[in-house]
Amino acid sequence: MTKKELSDLIREEATNNSETTSETGQTPIVPSNRARLTKAQLDELITELNQALQQEKKQVDSLQNKVKTLETEIKEERDLSSRLQNELKDAENYQSQLNEQKELVEKLYRQLQQKEELAVELAEKNELIASLQAKRQEEPKPLVPTPSPREELQVKETALTRQARELEPFAAPASASKPLTNEDIGWFD
């Protein structure tokens, strides 16, 4: 094997590290033999590490911003969800009230129809009464004999006498006044 120079080895390692970094997305692994590196190489390595660190900070910041954005979106979604649930409850209440009102309207409509039917029947009966009254007025009135005042007086007298008889006080039958004994009453000692 041929001996390679130190600078060639560092370049190969840097190339390998940059390829590994680009493939894995991680920061390059610093060689363990830092003592062999020159100051320029160390400065270059520090610059690369600082750039990688800044990129990682930017990535962390962007991820934190995404997390904050997602948290606010989640909060907004929860608020929206609770508001929609409240609106759903209100809608259900309105629906039940609407159903009650519909039932009431239907009941009132049935009552109105019944009253209209009754009004039609009443109008027909009124027409019938009016026609019967007109016919009655057109017909000659039969002569009704009027009772004489004497007959009325007799009818009133009989009614009065009947009423008086009904109102007469009840008289108990006469009884012998004999004292009652304990045996009669049913007492015993």
Side-chain angles (χ1 to χ4, degrees):
M1 281 180 101
T2 61
K3 279 190 169 181
K4 293 186 179 180
E5 289 189 14
L6 184 60
S7 61
D8 291 336
L9 285 173
I10 292 175
R11 277 190 217 131
E12 284 178 10
E13 193 169 329
T15 308
N16 288 340
N17 282 342
S18 65
E19 290 174 3
T20 306
T21 303
S22 63
E23 290 175 3
T24 60
Q26 297 177 352
T27 57
I29 300 172
V30 180
S32 60
N33 52 2
R34 289 185 185 157
R36 297 184 193 165
L37 296 176
T38 63
K39 184 177 179 180
Q41 290 171 341
L42 286 175
D43 287 338
E44 184 179 322
L45 183 60
I46 290 172
T47 308
E48 287 176 10
L49 289 175
N50 282 336
Q51 288 175 353
L53 180 63
Q54 295 214 354
Q55 287 177 353
E56 290 297 320
K57 283 183 181 179
K58 288 179 183 177
Q59 191 174 13
V60 166
D61 289 341
S62 69
L63 289 175
Q64 286 177 345
N65 288 337
K66 284 182 182 179
V67 167
K68 287 179 184 178
T69 305
L70 290 174
E71 286 175 347
T72 56
E73 287 178 6
I74 288 172
K75 184 182 177 201
E76 290 173 358
E77 291 295 324
R78 285 183 182 158
D79 293 342
L80 180 63
S81 173
S82 65
R83 189 174 38 149
L84 287 175
Q85 287 176 348
N86 290 338
E87 288 179 6
L88 180 62
K89 287 178 185 176
D90 291 343
E92 289 172 352
N93 289 338
Y94 293 142
Q95 185 65 37
S96 65
Q97 289 175 359
L98 179 64
N99 290 338
E100 290 174 6
Q101 296 298 323
K102 281 183 180 179
E103 290 174 7
L104 181 61
V105 165
E106 289 174 1
K107 181 180 176 183
L108 291 174
Y109 183 71
R110 285 191 300 269
Q111 288 178 354
L112 179 64
Q113 284 180 332
Q114 290 173 349
K115 288 184 180 185
E116 287 176 352
E117 290 171 0
L118 289 174
V120 169
E121 286 179 32
L122 184 61
E124 290 173 358
K125 288 180 181 180
N126 283 340
E127 288 176 11
L128 181 61
I129 290 171
S131 66
L132 289 175
Q133 284 178 349
K135 284 182 183 178
R136 185 174 179 199
Q137 288 176 356
E138 291 174 2
E139 293 178 2
K141 291 185 180 179
L143 294 173
V144 178
T146 57
S148 66
R150 210 175 223 316
E151 291 174 358
E152 285 181 27
L153 185 60
Q154 285 178 348
V155 170
K156 285 183 182 178
E157 284 177 11
T158 57
L160 286 176
T161 55
R162 185 178 58 228
Q163 214 174 23
R165 270 183 290 157
E166 290 174 357
L167 294 176
E168 284 180 9
F170 176 74
S175 67
S177 59
K178 140 179 149 172
L180 293 175
T181 63
N182 284 340
E183 292 176 3
D184 293 336
I185 298 174
W187 289 355
F188 60 90
D189 288 329

